[in-house]
Amino acid sequence: MVERAHVLIECEDAKGLVYKISKIFYDRGLNIDSNREFVDKEHKRFFMRTVISGLFEISELEDALASALPSSAKIKLIEPKEKEIIVMVTKESHALGDILIRHADGKLGAKIQCVTGNHDRLRDLVERFDIPFYHIAAEGLSREAHEEKVMERINGFSFEYIVLAKYMRILTPKFVKAYSQKVINIHHSFLPAFIGANPYKQAFERGVKIIGATAHYVTDDLDEGPIIAQDTIPVNHRLTWKDMQDAGRDVEKVVLSRALSLLFQDRVFVNGNKTVIF
Amino acid sequence: MVERAHVLIECEDAKGLVYKISKIFYDRGLNIDSNREFVDKEHKRFFMRTVISGLFEISELEDALASALPSSAKIKLIEPKEKEIIVMVTKESHALGDILIRHADGKLGAKIQCVTGNHDRLRDLVERFDIPFYHIAAEGLSREAHEEKVMERINGFSFEYIVLAKYMRILTPKFVKAYSQKVINIHHSFLPAFIGANPYKQAFERGVKIIGATAHYVTDDLDEGPIIAQDTIPVNHRLTWKDMQDAGRDVEKVVLSRALSLLFQDRVFVNGNKTVIF
Amino acid sequence: MVERAHVLIECEDAKGLVYKISKIFYDRGLNIDSNREFVDKEHKRFFMRTVISGLFEISELEDALASALPSSAKIKLIEPKEKEIIVMVTKESHALGDILIRHADGKLGAKIQCVTGNHDRLRDLVERFDIPFYHIAAEGLSREAHEEKVMERINGFSFEYIVLAKYMRILTPKFVKAYSQKVINIHHSFLPAFIGANPYKQAFERGVKIIGATAHYVTDDLDEGPIIAQDTIPVNHRLTWKDMQDAGRDVEKVVLSRALSLLFQDRVFVNGNKTVIF
Amino acid sequence: MVERAHVLIECEDAKGLVYKISKIFYDRGLNIDSNREFVDKEHKRFFMRTVISGLFEISELEDALASALPSSAKIKLIEPKEKEIIVMVTKESHALGDILIRHADGKLGAKIQCVTGNHDRLRDLVERFDIPFYHIAAEGLSREAHEEKVMERINGFSFEYIVLAKYMRILTPKFVKAYSQKVINIHHSFLPAFIGANPYKQAFERGVKIIGATAHYVTDDLDEGPIIAQDTIPVNHRLTWKDMQDAGRDVEKVVLSRALSLLFQDRVFVNGNKTVIF
């Protein structure tokens, strides 16, 4: 018996869904602590996130919901608890550092199982927090061979998400497929502007007056996965592209943290190439 | 029979509210086009806004909801249509002008019945749009006597809201009471900073790096009513207070328009001295 | 003799420029009311905007500056006064309306000579303000032939800028060349994201969490000219692309107004494909 | 002889200041790498920050500037290098953590000499970075006696700034006076709104739609010192005050970092109760 759960439901839209679902909670004397719904009218999809409390059996409730809803419905009941995550990095410390500080204070909402780096530069920072750091160099290896070594290493851990905290290598479709909807990236531009390499240099050369950052699921298409969070800050002609990069780091880490916070509270649905966020 | 309505429900929180309400819609074969709920846990208040469609009788549905809900529940079923409003101004044209342009293009979501001004300066602008303008001078009149004349004038019209589009006089409790929860003001600061006169001068003298605007319901306490919308923009040492005033006008008009748009779509609940906005 | 001028200087960077220029002002007993410089180190270009007051002859001062500076220097002395502009529109009223309201209140910093529209929809709005509106339909005409008619019409007026206030047609290189660095556009996205047609639909389909607007000079490359101002606002999964379009209109008009205000105060330098803004 | 310096000049406004100053640089063959001026017209004060390069003697240049400028002029020539700072904390880790991460990566622009806490909670975090942490408990001590102990401890170090990274005690005038214009605080609201204790609770109770943070110099008047940086984020009715506190932490740390970055680059002038920031 549990006392609290996040209920995530996704199915084809139909009349009476809210009624049928709320009836199941009501019949069991459960409280609805919060509840949000969304109907994607274009694709006739229904999304609902409910936080329930009371005293109940997860499996009994799942069965009840499953029999009341279309057979294609996706139903998840999640007990609120810390997630387990892997962090992958390259050389920059700001996004990783932000995660480590929250982690150290019990405010991340997740346990970092380990950090892997294709460079060794951030080992010292990670080890200061008594978290395992694995340097898995890519030099001299094919992309596939390198990822093989990464997968071998991280598969030794239990985890729900892989967080790319400024991991500056492109992942192969094989890797992405292996961890479908589990890999989260922070991209250093307000996508879809400046896809690809060195967005700050691109932004500088284009002479934009705002720069930004985007946290998104990683899919096969480079920088094209569902967006979770974005933000921007103003810049001006006095900034070099290095200055933009520095200024952008604050946005990057804040946007990544915001996205992780939403994910770790089970507030994000993937809807095709978009997200529904409650 | 109507085909569409905004259902606004507010009552003491209790188990089964969503179930009972959605059952009523389901039993009548109605669609829930969108639905949002909020529970104010501190005060144990439940708020719900549902957009329903189908074919139904407003009064029958109201009765059904009333008998399913606690007797103290506030239930409103509103057919989506343009509101009717009065606009009150003094001398500045930006907030009024923004409203007039939207109105002229059918995008305001409301019909302006008339504009009253304690100065005559904006008559020409209003009359260009074939809207009645009434100059009701305050000179030589007590506050009460002036408001008496305003009330006499506007009570000749049917209206749901009075929009203070930079009306620079303080209203008496009598006026506020007469139009309770109907008077909307745009205040030229991010309240509660810089309450009272000339907030831009106050902001300039305090040396702030952001200025803002606040749209709120007017209550007896000056600038203390429930806030509907706020926004800010950056400023710096190079701006005089006149420059801040100029820069602030863009925020003022955008914040007021955003608030009006929410109001005219029946998205705003007053909850004590706060708002719940869906 | 004049009492005040904006001095805009642009030249190859060199030692002593500030000294040489300020000496000329000092020798004539002129006040520097404000002064800003920028050196583009990448291209070794020097930019300076000074506001001077006193009593002086524009041509004498120009000559003095010209003999002190490299012969390739661009030197402009501008007496502060209202600019003259042409506005071109299609069907949407928000950007035009914002300009008209400021114009009517003497706050635009420019005199609108006329408005041309490839549709007739906005005639009524424009004529309410006693400004000439010319409907120049494009139906049945080649792009060149249509523009010919536009040019014929607007060349009857004196003007410094053409403001495209949601003019939804692409201009030919011939037109752009004829009014080089004089045509200002408001694009309904944070360029360079969503170049081209219907950016809101593109944004909706990409599932972005922010949308924006960009005011820029028009050059031959579609949506690629120097950017003057940009801003963004947050959006979420609940907005349809029509909702995004509505929400975006507020950003569009504010960004365009901000850009025009900078231009009309002679604060914008074009630097290659970028701008320097003081 | 040095090769680069930040020149900060502040004096009564007068004709020819830019000319006289730039002449001194020109006569010595120095480059002006960047230069910004501001005149506070209300108080007739002139502010200038110039970055010069070449080969020069600091003292010779100072003398030259001093003899060219009014005797009351404040002239500082600063060789660009890392500042030395003290950090004071209480229990919250976010602002401190952000500083530690930048420090560890050589990106803070300052060397942290030590951290003092009136609680011991953050010792572990600080010591992970091999920085001295001193717990100076306030229990049972008068405010003066506690500060005495703090001063004794920190005066053992050389430092230019004291950064209050969520130090939750009010400082006495004696302490503030001892380190005049050296103590920087991050206040968890957009001042002047919500001065004093628990601004997030105040913000929650007022029902605001934006919250913010303010980095400012500490003066005798609580939360009234010159403001260096501010920023805001949107909130809504669904956030409890604890949620607002969590959301606010990201703004707090980013605003504090932005302020520190400006300070450590010698970009901030104090002008009465305001700042001039270049």
Side-chain angles (χ1 to χ4, degrees):
Chain A
M1 299 291 268
V2 301
E3 293 183 351
R4 197 175 169 83
H6 300 165
V7 183
L8 305 189
I9 294 171
E10 179 188 344
C11 64
E12 207 179 319
D13 191 30
K15 259 183 217 180
L17 290 171
V18 174
Y19 162 66
K20 285 171 190 166
I21 295 165
S22 59
K23 183 173 192 313
I24 286 171
F25 300 147
Y26 183 64
D27 288 347
R28 281 153 187 79
L30 302 178
N31 291 305
I32 294 179
D33 290 342
S34 83
N35 186 35
R36 298 185 75 180
E37 302 118 45
F38 172 67
V39 176
D40 174 347
K41 286 186 182 120
E42 196 184 359
H43 303 99
K44 299 192 197 312
R45 299 289 295 168
F46 171 88
F47 299 87
M48 183 170 181
R49 179 186 184 272
T50 311
V51 180
I52 51 169
S53 61
L55 201 67
F56 54 97
E57 204 74 76
I58 291 270
S59 60
E60 192 277 334
L61 205 52
E62 268 175 348
D63 291 349
L65 288 164
S67 47
L69 296 170
S71 62
S72 62
K74 296 183 197 169
I75 301 162
K76 276 195 236 174
L77 276 85
I78 304 167
E79 277 186 84
K81 62 162 197 267
E82 282 208 329
K83 310 295 181 197
E84 293 171 326
I85 65 168
I86 303 290
V87 180
M88 292 174 66
V89 299
T90 295
K91 286 181 181 174
E92 286 173 279
S93 68
H94 58 290
L96 171 64
D98 195 62
I99 291 171
L100 290 172
I101 293 292
R102 287 174 202 264
H103 188 259
D105 210 359
K107 290 189 180 301
L108 183 61
K111 181 175 181 305
I112 304 173
Q113 300 285 40
C114 74
V115 178
T116 75
N118 59 316
H119 285 79
D120 205 34
R121 182 172 191 275
L122 298 172
R123 171 187 298 280
D124 176 62
L125 179 61
V126 173
E127 291 184 348
R128 283 181 189 275
F129 289 91
D130 304 319
I131 292 166
F133 179 90
Y134 302 109
H135 176 210
I136 304 170
E139 276 75 40
L141 296 180
S142 72
R143 193 172 296 279
E144 287 72 18
H146 178 248
E147 283 181 0
E148 200 89 14
K149 293 179 81 172
V150 172
M151 290 170 75
E152 211 172 294
R153 177 53 83 185
I154 66 178
N155 287 343
F157 294 93
S158 144
F159 64 88
E160 285 161 271
Y161 292 104
I162 297 171
V163 178
L164 308 183
K166 302 289 288 179
Y167 180 69
M168 305 306 279
R169 291 174 60 83
I170 293 167
L171 297 169
T172 66
K174 190 183 161 196
F175 189 96
V176 172
K177 201 178 166 193
Y179 308 107
S180 175
Q181 294 198 6
K182 294 185 164 194
V183 187
I184 308 303
N185 185 43
I186 179 68
H187 184 80
H188 36 325
S189 87
F190 47 89
L191 291 173
F194 308 127
I195 287 176
N198 208 335
Y200 291 116
K201 204 160 185 190
Q202 290 184 59
F204 171 77
E205 273 157 19
R206 181 60 188 89
V208 293
K209 303 297 183 189
I210 48 176
I211 58 172
T214 305
H216 63 99
Y217 286 93
V218 175
T219 56
D220 278 6
D221 294 316
L222 180 61
D223 301 335
E224 293 287 353
I227 292 170
I228 303 168
Q230 297 189 291
D231 210 348
T232 56
I233 48 166
V235 293
N236 61 50
H237 62 267
R238 289 187 289 129
L239 280 75
T240 65
W241 78 261
K242 291 270 185 194
D243 296 333
M244 288 190 187
Q245 192 176 47
D246 283 345
R249 283 191 180 110
D250 275 348
V251 196
E252 291 172 21
K253 77 184 180 200
V254 167
V255 167
L256 179 57
S257 286
R258 207 183 300 158
L260 295 182
S261 170
L262 293 167
L263 277 169
F264 298 163
Q265 296 175 64
D266 309 309
R267 293 183 176 278
V268 185
F269 286 84
V270 173
N271 179 24
N273 199 41
K274 303 186 195 180
T275 57
V276 170
I277 296 181
F278 290 131
Chain B
M1 299 292 266
V2 301
E3 293 183 353
R4 196 175 170 83
H6 299 165
V7 183
L8 307 190
I9 294 171
E10 180 189 342
C11 63
E12 207 178 318
D13 192 28
K15 259 184 218 180
L17 290 171
V18 174
Y19 162 66
K20 286 172 190 165
I21 296 164
S22 60
K23 182 173 192 313
I24 287 170
F25 300 147
Y26 183 63
D27 288 347
R28 281 153 187 77
L30 302 178
N31 291 304
I32 294 178
D33 289 342
S34 82
N35 187 34
R36 299 186 78 182
E37 302 118 45
F38 172 67
V39 176
D40 175 346
K41 287 188 182 117
E42 195 185 359
H43 303 99
K44 301 193 195 310
R45 299 291 295 170
F46 171 88
F47 299 86
M48 184 171 181
R49 178 187 185 271
T50 310
V51 180
I52 52 169
S53 61
L55 202 66
F56 54 97
E57 204 77 73
I58 291 271
S59 60
E60 192 279 331
L61 205 51
E62 268 175 347
D63 291 348
L65 287 164
S67 45
L69 295 171
S71 62
S72 61
K74 295 182 197 170
I75 301 163
K76 278 194 233 174
L77 276 87
I78 304 166
E79 277 186 85
K81 60 164 199 265
E82 283 207 329
K83 310 297 180 198
E84 292 171 325
I85 65 169
I86 303 290
V87 181
M88 290 172 67
V89 299
T90 295
K91 286 181 180 175
E92 286 173 278
S93 69
H94 58 289
L96 170 66
D98 196 62
I99 291 171
L100 290 172
I101 294 291
R102 288 174 202 264
H103 187 259
D105 210 359
K107 288 188 181 302
L108 182 62
K111 182 173 181 305
I112 303 173
Q113 300 285 42
C114 73
V115 178
T116 74
N118 58 317
H119 284 81
D120 205 36
R121 182 171 190 274
L122 298 172
R123 172 187 297 281
D124 175 63
L125 179 61
V126 173
E127 291 184 347
R128 283 180 188 277
F129 289 92
D130 305 320
I131 292 168
F133 178 90
Y134 303 109
H135 175 208
I136 305 172
E139 276 76 40
L141 295 181
S142 70
R143 194 173 296 280
E144 287 71 20
H146 178 246
E147 283 183 359
E148 200 91 12
K149 293 179 82 171
V150 172
M151 290 172 75
E152 209 171 295
R153 176 56 81 186
I154 65 180
N155 287 343
F157 295 93
S158 141
F159 64 89
E160 283 161 273
Y161 292 104
I162 297 171
V163 178
L164 307 183
K166 302 289 289 179
Y167 180 70
M168 305 306 279
R169 292 174 60 82
I170 293 167
L171 297 170
T172 65
K174 188 182 164 197
F175 189 97
V176 171
K177 200 177 168 196
Y179 308 107
S180 175
Q181 295 199 6
K182 293 186 164 194
V183 186
I184 308 303
N185 186 42
I186 179 69
H187 184 81
H188 36 327
S189 88
F190 48 89
L191 290 174
F194 308 128
I195 287 176
N198 209 334
Y200 290 116
K201 204 159 184 193
Q202 290 184 57
F204 171 76
E205 273 157 19
R206 180 62 190 89
V208 294
K209 301 299 182 186
I210 46 175
I211 57 172
T214 305
H216 64 100
Y217 285 94
V218 175
T219 56
D220 278 5
D221 294 315
L222 180 62
D223 301 335
E224 292 287 352
I227 293 171
I228 304 168
Q230 296 190 290
D231 210 349
T232 56
I233 50 167
V235 293
N236 61 49
H237 63 267
R238 288 188 289 127
L239 281 76
T240 64
W241 77 261
K242 291 270 185 195
D243 295 334
M244 288 191 187
Q245 190 176 49
D246 282 346
R249 284 191 178 109
D250 275 349
V251 196
E252 292 172 22
K253 77 185 181 202
V254 167
V255 167
L256 178 58
S257 286
R258 205 183 301 155
L260 295 182
S261 170
L262 292 167
L263 277 170
F264 298 163
Q265 295 175 66
D266 309 310
R267 293 182 177 278
V268 185
F269 285 84
V270 172
N271 178 24
N273 199 41
K274 302 185 193 181
T275 57
V276 171
I277 296 182
F278 290 130
Chain C
M1 299 292 266
V2 301
E3 293 182 353
R4 195 175 171 84
H6 300 166
V7 183
L8 306 190
I9 294 171
E10 179 189 343
C11 65
E12 208 179 319
D13 192 29
K15 259 183 218 183
L17 290 172
V18 173
Y19 161 68
K20 287 171 189 165
I21 295 165
S22 59
K23 182 174 193 312
I24 288 171
F25 300 148
Y26 183 65
D27 288 347
R28 280 153 188 79
L30 302 178
N31 291 304
I32 294 179
D33 290 341
S34 82
N35 185 37
R36 299 186 76 182
E37 303 118 43
F38 172 68
V39 176
D40 174 349
K41 283 180 184 128
E42 196 185 358
H43 304 98
K44 299 191 198 309
R45 299 290 295 168
F46 170 89
F47 299 87
M48 184 171 179
R49 177 187 186 272
T50 310
V51 180
I52 51 170
S53 61
L55 202 65
F56 54 97
E57 203 75 74
I58 290 271
S59 60
E60 191 279 331
L61 205 51
E62 267 175 347
D63 290 349
L65 288 164
S67 46
L69 295 171
S71 63
S72 62
K74 297 182 196 169
I75 300 161
K76 277 193 235 174
L77 276 85
I78 304 167
E79 277 186 86
K81 62 161 197 266
E82 283 209 329
K83 309 296 180 196
E84 293 171 326
I85 65 169
I86 303 288
V87 181
M88 290 173 65
V89 298
T90 295
K91 286 181 179 174
E92 286 173 277
S93 68
H94 58 290
L96 170 65
D98 195 63
I99 291 171
L100 290 172
I101 294 291
R102 288 174 201 265
H103 187 259
D105 209 0
K107 290 187 180 302
L108 182 62
K111 182 174 181 306
I112 304 172
Q113 301 284 41
C114 73
V115 179
T116 74
N118 59 317
H119 284 82
D120 205 34
R121 182 172 189 274
L122 298 172
R123 172 186 297 280
D124 175 63
L125 179 61
V126 173
E127 292 184 347
R128 283 181 188 275
F129 289 91
D130 304 320
I131 292 167
F133 179 91
Y134 302 107
H135 175 210
I136 305 171
E139 276 75 39
L141 296 179
S142 72
R143 193 171 298 277
E144 287 72 18
H146 178 248
E147 283 182 359
E148 201 90 13
K149 293 179 81 171
V150 172
M151 291 171 75
E152 210 171 295
R153 176 56 80 182
I154 65 180
N155 287 344
F157 295 93
S158 143
F159 64 90
E160 283 161 274
Y161 293 104
I162 298 172
V163 178
L164 308 183
K166 302 288 289 179
Y167 181 70
M168 306 306 280
R169 292 174 60 83
I170 293 166
L171 297 169
T172 66
K174 189 182 163 198
F175 188 97
V176 172
K177 199 175 168 195
Y179 308 108
S180 175
Q181 294 197 10
K182 294 185 164 193
V183 187
I184 309 303
N185 186 41
I186 179 69
H187 183 80
H188 36 327
S189 87
F190 47 90
L191 291 174
F194 309 126
I195 287 176
N198 209 334
Y200 290 116
K201 204 161 184 190
Q202 290 184 59
F204 171 76
E205 273 157 18
R206 181 61 188 88
V208 295
K209 303 297 182 189
I210 46 175
I211 57 172
T214 305
H216 63 100
Y217 286 94
V218 176
T219 56
D220 278 6
D221 294 314
L222 179 61
D223 303 333
E224 293 288 351
I227 292 171
I228 304 168
Q230 296 189 291
D231 210 347
T232 56
I233 48 166
V235 292
N236 62 49
H237 63 267
R238 288 187 290 128
L239 280 76
T240 64
W241 77 262
K242 290 272 186 192
D243 295 333
M244 288 190 185
Q245 191 177 49
D246 282 346
R249 283 189 180 113
D250 275 349
V251 196
E252 292 172 19
K253 77 183 180 202
V254 167
V255 167
L256 179 57
S257 286
R258 207 183 302 156
L260 295 182
S261 170
L262 293 166
L263 279 169
F264 298 163
Q265 294 175 66
D266 308 309
R267 294 182 177 278
V268 185
F269 286 83
V270 172
N271 178 25
N273 200 41
K274 301 186 196 181
T275 56
V276 171
I277 296 181
F278 291 130
Chain D
M1 297 292 265
V2 302
E3 293 183 351
R4 195 174 171 83
H6 299 166
V7 183
L8 307 191
I9 294 171
E10 180 190 343
C11 64
E12 206 179 320
D13 192 30
K15 260 185 216 182
L17 290 172
V18 173
Y19 161 67
K20 286 171 190 168
I21 296 165
S22 60
K23 183 174 192 313
I24 287 172
F25 300 147
Y26 183 64
D27 287 347
R28 282 152 187 79
L30 302 178
N31 291 305
I32 294 178
D33 290 341
S34 82
N35 186 33
R36 299 185 77 182
E37 303 120 43
F38 171 68
V39 176
D40 174 348
K41 285 181 183 123
E42 195 185 358
H43 304 99
K44 299 193 196 309
R45 299 291 294 168
F46 172 87
F47 299 87
M48 183 171 182
R49 178 187 184 271
T50 311
V51 181
I52 51 170
S53 61
L55 202 65
F56 54 97
E57 204 75 75
I58 291 271
S59 59
E60 190 278 332
L61 206 51
E62 268 175 349
D63 291 349
L65 288 164
S67 46
L69 296 171
S71 62
S72 61
K74 296 182 198 171
I75 301 163
K76 278 193 234 174
L77 276 86
I78 304 167
E79 276 187 86
K81 62 160 196 270
E82 282 209 328
K83 310 298 180 196
E84 293 170 326
I85 65 168
I86 304 288
V87 181
M88 290 173 66
V89 299
T90 295
K91 287 181 178 174
E92 287 173 279
S93 68
H94 59 289
L96 171 65
D98 195 63
I99 291 171
L100 290 172
I101 293 292
R102 289 174 201 263
H103 187 258
D105 210 1
K107 289 188 181 302
L108 182 61
K111 182 173 179 309
I112 303 173
Q113 300 285 42
C114 73
V115 178
T116 73
N118 58 317
H119 285 80
D120 205 35
R121 183 171 188 273
L122 298 171
R123 172 187 297 281
D124 175 63
L125 179 62
V126 173
E127 292 184 348
R128 284 181 188 276
F129 289 92
D130 304 321
I131 292 167
F133 179 91
Y134 302 109
H135 175 208
I136 304 170
E139 276 75 39
L141 296 180
S142 71
R143 194 173 296 281
E144 288 70 21
H146 178 247
E147 284 182 359
E148 201 91 11
K149 294 179 80 172
V150 173
M151 289 172 75
E152 210 171 294
R153 177 55 81 184
I154 65 180
N155 286 344
F157 295 93
S158 141
F159 63 91
E160 284 162 273
Y161 292 104
I162 297 172
V163 178
L164 308 184
K166 302 289 289 179
Y167 180 69
M168 305 307 279
R169 291 175 60 84
I170 293 167
L171 297 169
T172 65
K174 188 182 163 198
F175 189 98
V176 172
K177 199 176 170 196
Y179 307 107
S180 175
Q181 294 198 7
K182 294 186 163 194
V183 188
I184 309 303
N185 185 43
I186 178 68
H187 183 80
H188 36 326
S189 87
F190 46 90
L191 290 174
F194 309 126
I195 287 177
N198 209 334
Y200 291 117
K201 204 157 184 195
Q202 290 184 57
F204 171 76
E205 273 157 18
R206 181 62 188 89
V208 295
K209 302 299 184 187
I210 47 176
I211 57 173
T214 306
H216 63 100
Y217 287 94
V218 176
T219 57
D220 278 6
D221 294 316
L222 179 62
D223 302 335
E224 292 288 351
I227 293 171
I228 304 168
Q230 296 189 289
D231 210 348
T232 55
I233 49 165
V235 292
N236 60 49
H237 63 267
R238 288 188 291 127
L239 281 75
T240 63
W241 78 261
K242 291 270 185 191
D243 295 335
M244 288 190 186
Q245 190 175 49
D246 283 345
R249 285 193 178 107
D250 275 349
V251 196
E252 291 172 21
K253 77 184 181 200
V254 168
V255 167
L256 178 59
S257 287
R258 206 183 300 154
L260 295 182
S261 170
L262 293 166
L263 278 170
F264 298 163
Q265 295 175 66
D266 309 309
R267 293 182 176 278
V268 184
F269 286 84
V270 172
N271 178 24
N273 199 42
K274 303 186 195 181
T275 57
V276 170
I277 296 180
F278 290 131

